[in-house]
Amino acid sequence: NDSYGLARDSRYNLIENNVFTGPQIRHGVVVQYYSHNNLIRNNVLIETTMDALDLHGEDEYNNEICHNTVTDVTMGGGVGVGNTGADHDASGYNNYIHHNTFQNCREGVKVYLGSPNTRIEYNIVENTTVSSSRGIYILNGPYTTIKNNIIRYNSSTGFIGIYLKHDSGTQGAHDGDPEYVWIDSNEVY
């Protein structure tokens, strides 16, 4: 349940200057259950087993993820927005992901299950060798902004820089196509 304004409301938290090293950890940072107005910055995340920075698909909104370096997440993304599964769905609106570096991750940033109004700006996705990887991967993320990102030096077989695809949803919910996605001033080479 949304805890806005209640004592248990998860807001105004700062997570910075940490190092999260796998492979024995699933995620470095998980934000979930309507958490909002949190800042995750200046962290280093290495070899987590799933999404290193995870907006966990329980209506998280207005969170900012910036100036982090994520390396070698071969079974997940640098940042995941939304999450499949029995008790997960879309993340909330206005999450801002910017000025991060993603190196050799299966996805740099993945938005799915209808997570709306996500801004993905000024990130670098590079040096990916994981087969069939995606730099920025949008599955039914309406009103997503993808702007001023650099996607470079990725040599994996089947790599796609920016990929918009139909999302079949999970357990009958959030089936849909990416709509109203703004892609502007990115460099993909």
Side-chain angles (χ1 to χ4, degrees), residues 66-84:
C66 62
H67 301 284
N68 300 287
T69 300
V70 182
T71 305
D72 294 324
V73 181
T74 60
M75 297 190 321
V79 176
V81 182
N83 200 331
T84 58

Side-chain angles (χ1 to χ4, degrees), residues 5-125:
L6 301 177
R8 68 176 185 263
D9 191 7
S10 176
R11 65 194 188 280
Y12 310 127
N13 295 296
L14 173 62
I15 301 170
E16 69 176 343
N17 302 324
N18 299 287
V19 176
F20 301 89
T21 304
Q24 305 305 325
I25 57 175
R26 185 178 176 103
H27 307 286
V29 177
V30 176
V31 179
Q32 64 188 84
Y33 301 124
Y34 289 94
S35 295
H36 60 97
N37 298 92
N38 297 295
L39 175 59
I40 303 164
R41 69 176 178 198
N42 298 325
N43 299 288
V44 175
L45 301 100
I46 303 164
E47 204 177 357
T48 61
T49 58
M50 301 298 283
D51 298 336
L53 300 160
D54 191 13
L55 298 177
H56 210 52
E58 292 142 343
D59 304 294
E60 311 78 23
Y61 63 97
N62 288 344
N63 296 290
E64 183 175 0
I65 299 173
C66 62
H67 301 284
N68 300 287
T69 300
V70 182
T71 305
D72 294 324
V73 181
T74 60
M75 297 190 321
V79 176
V81 182
N83 200 331
T84 58
D87 56 351
H88 303 300
D89 57 27
S91 290
Y93 53 84
N94 294 338
N95 291 298
Y96 186 27
I97 301 160
H98 64 96
H99 293 96
N100 300 286
T101 299
F102 306 108
Q103 300 171 330
N104 197 36
C105 298
R106 189 183 68 192
E107 296 97 21
V109 180
K110 183 176 183 181
V111 178
Y112 50 129
L113 296 174
S115 301
N117 300 90
T118 304
R119 292 172 48 203
I120 305 166
E121 301 177 350
Y122 298 100
N123 299 287
I124 296 173
V125 179

